[in-house]
mmCIF file of all heavy atoms in Angstrom:
data_model
loop_
_atom_site.group_PDB
_atom_site.id
_atom_site.type_symbol
_atom_site.label_atom_id
_atom_site.label_comp_id
_atom_site.label_asym_id
_atom_site.label_seq_id
_atom_site.Cartn_x
_atom_site.Cartn_y
_atom_site.Cartn_z
ATOM 1 N N SER A 57 4.664 -40.814 70.389
ATOM 2 C CA SER A 57 6.025 -41.211 70.008
ATOM 3 C C SER A 57 6.939 -41.152 71.213
ATOM 4 O O SER A 57 6.869 -40.211 72.010
ATOM 5 C CB SER A 57 6.572 -40.288 68.921
ATOM 6 O OG SER A 57 5.820 -40.384 67.742
ATOM 7 N N THR A 58 7.795 -42.156 71.322
ATOM 8 C CA THR A 58 8.781 -42.194 72.400
ATOM 9 C C THR A 58 10.134 -42.621 71.842
ATOM 10 O O THR A 58 10.224 -43.210 70.763
ATOM 11 C CB THR A 58 8.373 -43.168 73.518
ATOM 12 O OG1 THR A 58 8.211 -44.479 72.958
ATOM 13 C CG2 THR A 58 7.075 -42.737 74.186
ATOM 14 N N ASN A 59 11.167 -42.323 72.619
ATOM 15 C CA ASN A 59 12.519 -42.713 72.232
ATOM 16 C C ASN A 59 13.281 -43.003 73.522
ATOM 17 O O ASN A 59 13.068 -42.318 74.534
ATOM 18 C CB ASN A 59 13.185 -41.577 71.454
ATOM 19 C CG ASN A 59 14.438 -42.024 70.715
ATOM 20 O OD1 ASN A 59 14.897 -43.145 70.882
ATOM 21 N ND2 ASN A 59 14.981 -41.140 69.897
ATOM 22 N N TYR A 60 14.146 -43.999 73.482
ATOM 23 C CA TYR A 60 14.886 -44.398 74.682
ATOM 24 C C TYR A 60 16.370 -44.563 74.362
ATOM 25 O O TYR A 60 16.745 -44.995 73.264
ATOM 26 C CB TYR A 60 14.376 -45.739 75.218
ATOM 27 C CG TYR A 60 12.966 -45.712 75.736
ATOM 28 C CD1 TYR A 60 11.885 -46.011 74.908
ATOM 29 C CD2 TYR A 60 12.713 -45.390 77.066
ATOM 30 C CE1 TYR A 60 10.594 -45.976 75.386
ATOM 31 C CE2 TYR A 60 11.417 -45.369 77.559
ATOM 32 C CZ TYR A 60 10.357 -45.668 76.713
ATOM 33 O OH TYR A 60 9.080 -45.641 77.192
ATOM 34 N N ALA A 61 17.186 -44.266 75.342
ATOM 35 C CA ALA A 61 18.597 -44.624 75.244
ATOM 36 C C ALA A 61 18.721 -46.144 75.291
ATOM 37 O O ALA A 61 17.931 -46.815 75.976
ATOM 38 C CB ALA A 61 19.375 -43.996 76.393
ATOM 39 N N ASP A 62 19.698 -46.671 74.586
ATOM 40 C CA ASP A 62 19.879 -48.127 74.559
ATOM 41 C C ASP A 62 20.076 -48.702 75.958
ATOM 42 O O ASP A 62 19.644 -49.819 76.247
ATOM 43 C CB ASP A 62 21.081 -48.492 73.682
ATOM 44 C CG ASP A 62 20.815 -48.276 72.208
ATOM 45 O OD1 ASP A 62 19.638 -48.166 71.820
ATOM 46 O OD2 ASP A 62 21.797 -48.215 71.440
ATOM 47 N N SER A 63 20.707 -47.930 76.820
ATOM 48 C CA SER A 63 21.040 -48.424 78.160
ATOM 49 C C SER A 63 19.810 -48.647 79.041
ATOM 50 O O SER A 63 19.902 -49.340 80.056
ATOM 51 C CB SER A 63 21.991 -47.454 78.854
ATOM 52 O OG SER A 63 21.398 -46.167 78.967
ATOM 53 N N VAL A 64 18.659 -48.072 78.661
ATOM 54 C CA VAL A 64 17.469 -48.200 79.504
ATOM 55 C C VAL A 64 16.317 -48.906 78.802
ATOM 56 O O VAL A 64 15.282 -49.161 79.429
ATOM 57 C CB VAL A 64 16.993 -46.827 80.025
ATOM 58 C CG1 VAL A 64 18.127 -46.089 80.728
ATOM 59 C CG2 VAL A 64 16.393 -45.986 78.921
ATOM 60 N N LYS A 65 16.484 -49.222 77.538
ATOM 61 C CA LYS A 65 15.407 -49.898 76.797
ATOM 62 C C LYS A 65 15.021 -51.203 77.475
ATOM 63 O O LYS A 65 15.878 -51.987 77.858
ATOM 64 C CB LYS A 65 15.855 -50.171 75.359
ATOM 65 C CG LYS A 65 15.740 -48.987 74.434
ATOM 66 C CD LYS A 65 16.183 -49.357 73.022
ATOM 67 C CE LYS A 65 16.123 -48.151 72.111
ATOM 68 N NZ LYS A 65 16.626 -48.469 70.748
ATOM 69 N N GLY A 66 13.718 -51.402 77.594
ATOM 70 C CA GLY A 66 13.225 -52.616 78.218
ATOM 71 C C GLY A 66 13.132 -52.536 79.733
ATOM 72 O O GLY A 66 12.536 -53.406 80.363
ATOM 73 N N ARG A 67 13.732 -51.500 80.322
ATOM 74 C CA ARG A 67 13.689 -51.333 81.775
ATOM 75 C C ARG A 67 12.917 -50.091 82.194
ATOM 76 O O ARG A 67 12.246 -50.093 83.230
ATOM 77 C CB ARG A 67 15.114 -51.242 82.345
ATOM 78 C CG ARG A 67 15.965 -52.459 82.084
ATOM 79 C CD ARG A 67 17.291 -52.385 82.855
ATOM 80 N NE ARG A 67 18.106 -51.244 82.469
ATOM 81 C CZ ARG A 67 18.533 -50.308 83.323
ATOM 82 N NH1 ARG A 67 18.214 -50.386 84.614
ATOM 83 N NH2 ARG A 67 19.295 -49.312 82.899
ATOM 84 N N PHE A 68 13.022 -49.020 81.427
ATOM 85 C CA PHE A 68 12.362 -47.755 81.742
ATOM 86 C C PHE A 68 11.203 -47.513 80.780
ATOM 87 O O PHE A 68 11.270 -47.883 79.599
ATOM 88 C CB PHE A 68 13.348 -46.591 81.610
ATOM 89 C CG PHE A 68 14.454 -46.543 82.640
ATOM 90 C CD1 PHE A 68 14.688 -47.596 83.516
ATOM 91 C CD2 PHE A 68 15.269 -45.431 82.727
ATOM 92 C CE1 PHE A 68 15.702 -47.550 84.457
ATOM 93 C CE2 PHE A 68 16.291 -45.361 83.653
ATOM 94 C CZ PHE A 68 16.508 -46.420 84.511
ATOM 95 N N THR A 69 10.171 -46.852 81.276
ATOM 96 C CA THR A 69 9.026 -46.473 80.448
ATOM 97 C C THR A 69 8.670 -45.020 80.701
ATOM 98 O O THR A 69 8.421 -44.634 81.852
ATOM 99 C CB THR A 69 7.806 -47.351 80.734
ATOM 100 O OG1 THR A 69 8.145 -48.733 80.519
ATOM 101 C CG2 THR A 69 6.646 -46.978 79.824
ATOM 102 N N ILE A 70 8.647 -44.239 79.635
ATOM 103 C CA ILE A 70 8.246 -42.836 79.736
ATOM 104 C C ILE A 70 6.775 -42.711 79.343
ATOM 105 O O ILE A 70 6.301 -43.413 78.442
ATOM 106 C CB ILE A 70 9.139 -41.939 78.841
ATOM 107 C CG1 ILE A 70 8.892 -40.467 79.126
ATOM 108 C CG2 ILE A 70 8.951 -42.268 77.367
ATOM 109 C CD1 ILE A 70 9.888 -39.543 78.434
ATOM 110 N N SER A 71 6.062 -41.841 80.032
ATOM 111 C CA SER A 71 4.652 -41.605 79.720
ATOM 112 C C SER A 71 4.289 -40.201 80.155
ATOM 113 O O SER A 71 5.065 -39.530 80.839
ATOM 114 C CB SER A 71 3.759 -42.633 80.411
ATOM 115 O OG SER A 71 3.880 -42.536 81.825
ATOM 116 N N ARG A 72 3.108 -39.755 79.762
ATOM 117 C CA ARG A 72 2.651 -38.435 80.160
ATOM 118 C C ARG A 72 1.141 -38.431 80.265
ATOM 119 O O ARG A 72 0.452 -39.198 79.576
ATOM 120 C CB ARG A 72 3.130 -37.362 79.180
ATOM 121 C CG ARG A 72 2.557 -37.469 77.781
ATOM 122 C CD ARG A 72 3.290 -36.525 76.818
ATOM 123 N NE ARG A 72 3.107 -35.128 77.161
ATOM 124 C CZ ARG A 72 3.879 -34.151 76.706
ATOM 125 N NH1 ARG A 72 4.913 -34.424 75.905
ATOM 126 N NH2 ARG A 72 3.632 -32.886 77.042
ATOM 127 N N ASP A 73 0.639 -37.535 81.105
ATOM 128 C CA ASP A 73 -0.788 -37.309 81.263
ATOM 129 C C ASP A 73 -1.004 -35.813 81.036
ATOM 130 O O ASP A 73 -0.764 -35.011 81.946
ATOM 131 C CB ASP A 73 -1.241 -37.740 82.661
ATOM 132 C CG ASP A 73 -2.739 -37.619 82.845
ATOM 133 O OD1 ASP A 73 -3.384 -36.866 82.099
ATOM 134 O OD2 ASP A 73 -3.259 -38.259 83.771
ATOM 135 N N ASN A 74 -1.421 -35.451 79.842
ATOM 136 C CA ASN A 74 -1.541 -34.031 79.515
ATOM 137 C C ASN A 74 -2.638 -33.340 80.327
ATOM 138 O O ASN A 74 -2.578 -32.131 80.544
ATOM 139 C CB ASN A 74 -1.781 -33.856 78.025
ATOM 140 C CG ASN A 74 -0.516 -34.109 77.211
ATOM 141 O OD1 ASN A 74 0.597 -34.125 77.752
ATOM 142 N ND2 ASN A 74 -0.681 -34.323 75.920
ATOM 143 N N ALA A 75 -3.626 -34.073 80.765
ATOM 144 C CA ALA A 75 -4.679 -33.482 81.591
ATOM 145 C C ALA A 75 -4.146 -33.057 82.958
ATOM 146 O O ALA A 75 -4.705 -32.163 83.594
ATOM 147 C CB ALA A 75 -5.825 -34.474 81.760
ATOM 148 N N LYS A 76 -3.051 -33.696 83.379
ATOM 149 C CA LYS A 76 -2.451 -33.382 84.674
ATOM 150 C C LYS A 76 -1.140 -32.620 84.531
ATOM 151 O O LYS A 76 -0.442 -32.387 85.524
ATOM 152 C CB LYS A 76 -2.200 -34.671 85.467
ATOM 153 C CG LYS A 76 -3.464 -35.409 85.837
ATOM 154 C CD LYS A 76 -3.136 -36.658 86.660
ATOM 155 C CE LYS A 76 -4.407 -37.383 87.065
ATOM 156 N NZ LYS A 76 -4.115 -38.604 87.866
ATOM 157 N N ASN A 77 -0.787 -32.252 83.300
ATOM 158 C CA ASN A 77 0.485 -31.555 83.058
ATOM 159 C C ASN A 77 1.662 -32.311 83.672
ATOM 160 O O ASN A 77 2.581 -31.696 84.237
ATOM 161 C CB ASN A 77 0.446 -30.130 83.619
ATOM 162 C CG ASN A 77 -0.254 -29.152 82.691
ATOM 163 O OD1 ASN A 77 -0.989 -29.555 81.796
ATOM 164 N ND2 ASN A 77 -0.039 -27.869 82.914
ATOM 165 N N THR A 78 1.664 -33.600 83.547
ATOM 166 C CA THR A 78 2.665 -34.420 84.225
ATOM 167 C C THR A 78 3.259 -35.461 83.293
ATOM 168 O O THR A 78 2.550 -36.080 82.504
ATOM 169 C CB THR A 78 2.051 -35.129 85.450
ATOM 170 O OG1 THR A 78 1.478 -34.155 86.324
ATOM 171 C CG2 THR A 78 3.102 -35.910 86.214
ATOM 172 N N MET A 79 4.568 -35.641 83.430
ATOM 173 C CA MET A 79 5.294 -36.684 82.718
ATOM 174 C C MET A 79 5.872 -37.643 83.754
ATOM 175 O O MET A 79 6.193 -37.223 84.876
ATOM 176 C CB MET A 79 6.430 -36.075 81.891
ATOM 177 C CG MET A 79 7.320 -37.093 81.210
ATOM 178 S SD MET A 79 8.650 -36.358 80.263
ATOM 179 C CE MET A 79 9.640 -35.581 81.535
ATOM 180 N N TYR A 80 6.012 -38.893 83.368
ATOM 181 C CA TYR A 80 6.500 -39.919 84.293
ATOM 182 C C TYR A 80 7.671 -40.687 83.680
ATOM 183 O O TYR A 80 7.810 -40.778 82.469
ATOM 184 C CB TYR A 80 5.397 -40.911 84.627
ATOM 185 C CG TYR A 80 4.137 -40.287 85.166
ATOM 186 C CD1 TYR A 80 3.056 -40.021 84.330
ATOM 187 C CD2 TYR A 80 4.026 -39.949 86.513
ATOM 188 C CE1 TYR A 80 1.898 -39.442 84.818
ATOM 189 C CE2 TYR A 80 2.880 -39.369 87.012
ATOM 190 C CZ TYR A 80 1.814 -39.120 86.157
ATOM 191 O OH TYR A 80 0.670 -38.544 86.646
ATOM 192 N N LEU A 81 8.458 -41.269 84.565
ATOM 193 C CA LEU A 81 9.474 -42.228 84.140
ATOM 194 C C LEU A 81 9.421 -43.398 85.110
ATOM 195 O O LEU A 81 9.816 -43.262 86.277
ATOM 196 C CB LEU A 81 10.873 -41.622 84.133
ATOM 197 C CG LEU A 81 11.964 -42.551 83.575
ATOM 198 C CD1 LEU A 81 11.758 -42.780 82.074
ATOM 199 C CD2 LEU A 81 13.357 -41.968 83.838
ATOM 200 N N GLN A 82 8.895 -44.514 84.647
ATOM 201 C CA GLN A 82 8.878 -45.735 85.439
ATOM 202 C C GLN A 82 10.183 -46.469 85.215
ATOM 203 O O GLN A 82 10.518 -46.821 84.081
ATOM 204 C CB GLN A 82 7.696 -46.626 85.032
ATOM 205 C CG GLN A 82 7.635 -47.940 85.784
ATOM 206 C CD GLN A 82 7.350 -47.767 87.262
ATOM 207 O OE1 GLN A 82 6.486 -46.984 87.646
ATOM 208 N NE2 GLN A 82 8.074 -48.484 88.096
ATOM 209 N N MET A 83 10.925 -46.673 86.291
ATOM 210 C CA MET A 83 12.240 -47.298 86.196
ATOM 211 C C MET A 83 12.210 -48.625 86.934
ATOM 212 O O MET A 83 12.011 -48.660 88.151
ATOM 213 C CB MET A 83 13.300 -46.371 86.796
ATOM 214 C CG MET A 83 13.327 -44.983 86.185
ATOM 215 S SD MET A 83 14.696 -43.964 86.767
ATOM 216 C CE MET A 83 14.265 -43.792 88.488
ATOM 217 N N ASN A 84 12.405 -49.698 86.200
ATOM 218 C CA ASN A 84 12.436 -51.040 86.761
ATOM 219 C C ASN A 84 13.818 -51.655 86.588
ATOM 220 O O ASN A 84 14.617 -51.185 85.782
ATOM 221 C CB ASN A 84 11.384 -51.917 86.084
ATOM 222 C CG ASN A 84 9.979 -51.413 86.274
ATOM 223 O OD1 ASN A 84 9.654 -50.808 87.294
ATOM 224 N ND2 ASN A 84 9.129 -51.656 85.288
#
Side-chain angles (χ1 to χ4, degrees):
S57 297
T58 58
N59 195 353
Y60 294 92
D62 289 343
S63 59
V64 306
K65 279 181 182 177
R67 300 188 299 123
F68 291 10
T69 303
I70 190 171
S71 62
R72 65 191 296 163
D73 184 339
N74 286 344
K76 295 182 178 180
N77 279 18
T78 304
M79 175 181 65
Y80 305 97
L81 185 68
Q82 178 66 44
M83 305 186 295
N84 299 329

